Amino acid sequence: MRSCSLQPLRERHLSFIPIFLTSPGPLELSPSSQLVRRQTQRISNQAGRCSNPTGDNRDLAMISLDFNFNILTRDLSHYLENQVKVGLFGSGVGLSLVLGFSAAYTCYYLISVAKKPQLISGGKKFCQFLKEQCPVVSETYYPTFWCWESRIQTLLRPFVTAKPGVVYRNELLKAADGGQISVDWFDNDDSHSYPDPTTRPTVLLLPGLTGTSRESYILHMVQQSRDLGYRCVVFNNRGVSGETLLTPRTYCAANTEDLETVIEHILKTHKSSPIMAAGVSMGGMMLANYLGRKGQETCLKGVIVFSAGWDVFECSASLEKPLDRFLFNSYLTSCLQASVHRHRPVLEKCYDIDHVMKAKTIREFDERFTSIMFGYPTNDDYYRDASPVHKLKSVQVPMLCLNAADDVFSPSHAIPVEAVKQNPHLALLITCHGGHIGFLEGLWPRQSTYMDRVFKQYAKAVIEQGGGLKDLS
């Protein structure tokens, strides 16, 4: 005698019945759901009475359950959709959480993140000139709300910002030691503001530590200069832009001989053209050191410096902290080593390249390579000479310096506020955020940054309103 098989069959099929069909809930049952409940109860009763069912009874139960399964599936989907709607947004709890978080974040951003930059100057005349001719120095800087943190700004800048199309004319200059210097010209022959090339203003641009004329921040400044009708010339440090290294010498922040050669060449080529310069990171350090050594003996009408490291000892210490060493220091060290490796046949005659290639930080690289190349007794002597903070008192050309207080490359406590206050030719613009050469702003900061706006307004002021910068002292 066969035992009843409907009980396990019933358990197996009824396991698909959602809880809302068998127990009361906040959601009202549809007519089809009520029908399923009645039929399910009827089948359950039949199954309970069946101790020895016939084949017809078992088939009837199977047909009834199969008939109900499609209805159950449809109503289950309907239930889930409505239950999520009621439980999350219909009740208002989820919406309140989203709105509350958004309001809190907005308040925090407006109170703690978006702030006016601090303008510090050694003289009232220069400060007033900047406020009148460069309104951006008095405006609130609104960093991109989803990436205002310094490291994120620094890391994302090369990837987020666009690279404007620029066609350069390359020129190789002979250096006094027999080496060659690569400069890239953007002549801007289509300039409507200055159609005469002999009087067209020239902007000299200096990239960062391993940068070239193809860096996004350089291309943006070229684009801003093009809009103003100016020409640009980019000074590439030796060995970084693809040219052959003819002598066993590269570059450093303390040595300005190559920069002086480039400036003299520009002046000789365009004698009637006003010249100003902009330097970024190490390029800004080199430019500041050049002005500190030259004093009034320069043809530059004005200078702007972005994210410069003012005290190299403090910069190195900051970059050697674990997180910043991982994110920036190791990468930059590998870039410097890659440049050395490209020119190994020339450099290995004078330096222990194998030892240089084992450096783990920029400091170790400078100890084994840079300081030796430029004849310093120790690396500390090189770092002291490379730090612009010691030469700011000798600067005699209007120089605006933009730094972010959260820049890990140039920590805020090393920004030379007091030194700037002692020189009427200097002005310091400090933003709370911006990172290192970041200064991203707007919802999607692809086309322009705060740094670009500062550059454009200052360049125009120096070139076209330069008379207001005379006799600053």
Side-chain angles (χ1 to χ4, degrees):
M1 181 182 295
R2 290 185 302 174
S3 61
C4 178
S5 61
L6 185 59
Q7 181 66 21
L9 177 67
R10 177 169 66 95
E11 293 176 353
R12 184 168 64 251
H13 280 78
L14 294 185
S15 65
F16 288 95
I17 301 176
I19 188 65
F20 75 92
L21 291 178
T22 58
S23 63
L27 185 65
E28 184 179 355
L29 297 178
S30 65
S32 59
S33 299
Q34 296 174 12
L35 174 63
V36 172
R37 171 187 277 183
R38 289 194 298 270
Q39 293 185 2
T40 302
Q41 185 64 40
R42 180 173 59 82
I43 295 170
S44 178
N45 293 336
Q46 291 177 353
R49 293 194 301 268
C50 179
S51 59
N52 184 20
T54 64
D56 292 339
N57 289 336
R58 185 166 61 251
D59 292 340
L60 175 62
M62 287 295 296
I63 293 173
S64 298
L65 287 174
D66 290 340
F67 169 75
N68 294 329
F69 187 74
N70 290 332
I71 300 176
L72 289 173
T73 304
R74 183 186 64 200
D75 278 71
L76 178 59
S77 299
H78 177 73
Y79 168 77
L80 291 175
E81 290 175 2
N82 283 275
Q83 186 67 14
V84 171
K85 196 175 297 183
V86 170
L88 184 59
F89 293 105
S91 65
V93 176
L95 183 60
S96 298
L97 289 174
V98 172
L99 293 177
F101 176 80
S102 300
Y105 183 83
T106 300
C107 290
Y108 176 80
Y109 176 86
L110 294 176
I111 294 173
S112 302
V113 178
K115 292 184 178 181
K116 288 186 177 182
Q118 184 180 8
L119 179 62
I120 302 166
S121 179
K124 293 183 178 180
K125 188 174 182 179
F126 193 17
C127 184
Q128 189 63 31
F129 174 86
L130 291 172
K131 290 181 178 179
E132 292 176 357
Q133 303 298 330
C134 307
V136 68
V137 304
S138 302
E139 297 174 0
T140 300
Y141 167 49
Y142 294 92
T144 299
F145 77 95
W146 52 270
C147 66
W148 49 264
E149 198 276 332
S150 64
R151 294 173 182 84
I152 298 177
Q153 285 241 343
T154 303
L155 292 170
L156 286 185
R157 166 69 190 251
F159 304 101
V160 173
T161 55
K163 288 191 173 184
V166 175
V167 179
Y168 291 114
R169 174 176 59 86
N170 183 258
E171 182 178 11
L172 296 175
L173 308 180
K174 288 295 182 181
D177 69 329
Q180 60 183 1
I181 307 166
S182 174
V183 294
D184 286 317
W185 291 85
F186 175 73
D187 296 304
N188 201 8
D189 291 329
D190 297 328
S191 173
H192 297 291
S193 304
Y194 299 92
D196 184 359
T198 61
T199 58
R200 186 178 303 145
T202 302
V203 181
L204 172 62
L205 303 175
L206 283 72
L209 180 62
T210 59
T212 69
S213 60
R214 291 296 172 184
E215 304 302 323
S216 64
Y217 56 82
I218 294 293
L219 294 174
H220 276 242
M221 286 193 283
V222 173
Q223 183 183 50
Q224 304 289 344
S225 301
R226 176 175 56 196
D227 294 342
L228 294 170
Y230 308 157
R231 80 162 56 85
C232 288
V233 55
V234 185
F235 163 45
N236 299 296
N237 289 306
R238 291 199 202 186
V240 300
S241 62
E243 80 280 8
T244 303
L245 200 65
L246 301 181
T247 59
R249 170 176 165 173
T250 56
Y251 59 94
C252 74
N255 189 283
T256 62
E257 293 175 359
D258 286 355
L259 175 58
E260 293 174 31
T261 300
V262 171
I263 294 176
E264 290 174 1
H265 177 71
I266 296 172
L267 183 60
K268 186 183 300 183
T269 306
H270 303 285
K271 296 179 181 179
S272 302
S273 171
I275 307 171
M276 72 157 292
V280 181
S281 190
M282 195 206 76
M285 297 167 62
M286 185 184 296
L287 198 51
N289 285 329
Y290 164 80
L291 293 180
R293 291 193 177 102
K294 286 294 184 178
Q296 293 181 341
E297 299 177 1
T298 179
C299 62
L300 299 180
K301 303 300 180 185
V303 165
I304 186 167
V305 169
F306 300 102
S307 299
W310 300 103
D311 187 325
V312 183
F313 292 101
E314 296 296 335
C315 297
S316 297
S318 179
L319 287 175
E320 287 171 358
K321 294 177 181 178
L323 179 58
D324 299 319
R325 176 171 175 168
F326 171 75
L327 291 175
F328 307 112
N329 203 326
S330 298
Y331 171 74
L332 289 174
T333 302
S334 66
C335 290
L336 290 168
Q337 291 171 327
S339 180
V340 169
H341 181 72
R342 283 197 301 270
H343 304 289
R344 182 167 188 145
V346 177
L347 296 172
E348 65 183 358
K349 299 175 183 177
C350 303
Y351 311 103
D352 185 354
I353 302 302
D354 290 334
H355 189 49
V356 173
M357 299 302 287
K358 294 178 182 178
K360 301 299 182 183
T361 64
I362 296 175
R363 187 194 296 269
E364 290 182 1
F365 179 89
D366 289 334
E367 288 173 347
R368 303 175 186 189
F369 185 74
T370 312
S371 60
I372 298 173
M373 174 178 289
F374 289 93
Y376 289 97
T378 66
N379 194 60
D380 285 354
D381 291 317
Y382 163 52
Y383 276 10
R384 192 173 297 108
D385 195 29
S387 300
V389 64
H390 305 301
K391 305 178 184 67
L392 290 179
K393 61 183 179 181
S394 302
V395 175
Q396 299 296 309
V397 173
M399 183 169 74
L400 174 62
C401 312
L402 175 63
N403 279 89
D406 63 354
D407 184 355
V408 298
F409 284 71
S410 183
S412 58
H413 65 269
I415 297 176
V417 174
E418 294 304 319
V420 168
K421 290 180 178 179
Q422 304 303 316
N423 189 333
H425 295 89
L426 301 178
L428 189 59
L429 190 64
I430 305 175
T431 60
C432 290
H433 300 278
H436 187 71
I437 328 175
F439 301 103
L440 302 177
E441 62 179 357
L443 180 63
W444 184 248
R446 185 160 180 78
Q447 300 302 325
S448 181
T449 67
Y450 181 79
M451 171 178 157
D452 297 335
R453 293 197 293 129
V454 173
F455 166 78
K456 186 174 184 178
Q457 292 185 16
Y458 184 73
K460 183 177 181 180
V462 168
I463 296 297
E464 301 178 16
Q465 305 295 331
L469 293 174
K470 293 182 179 179
D471 302 323
L472 291 179
S473 53

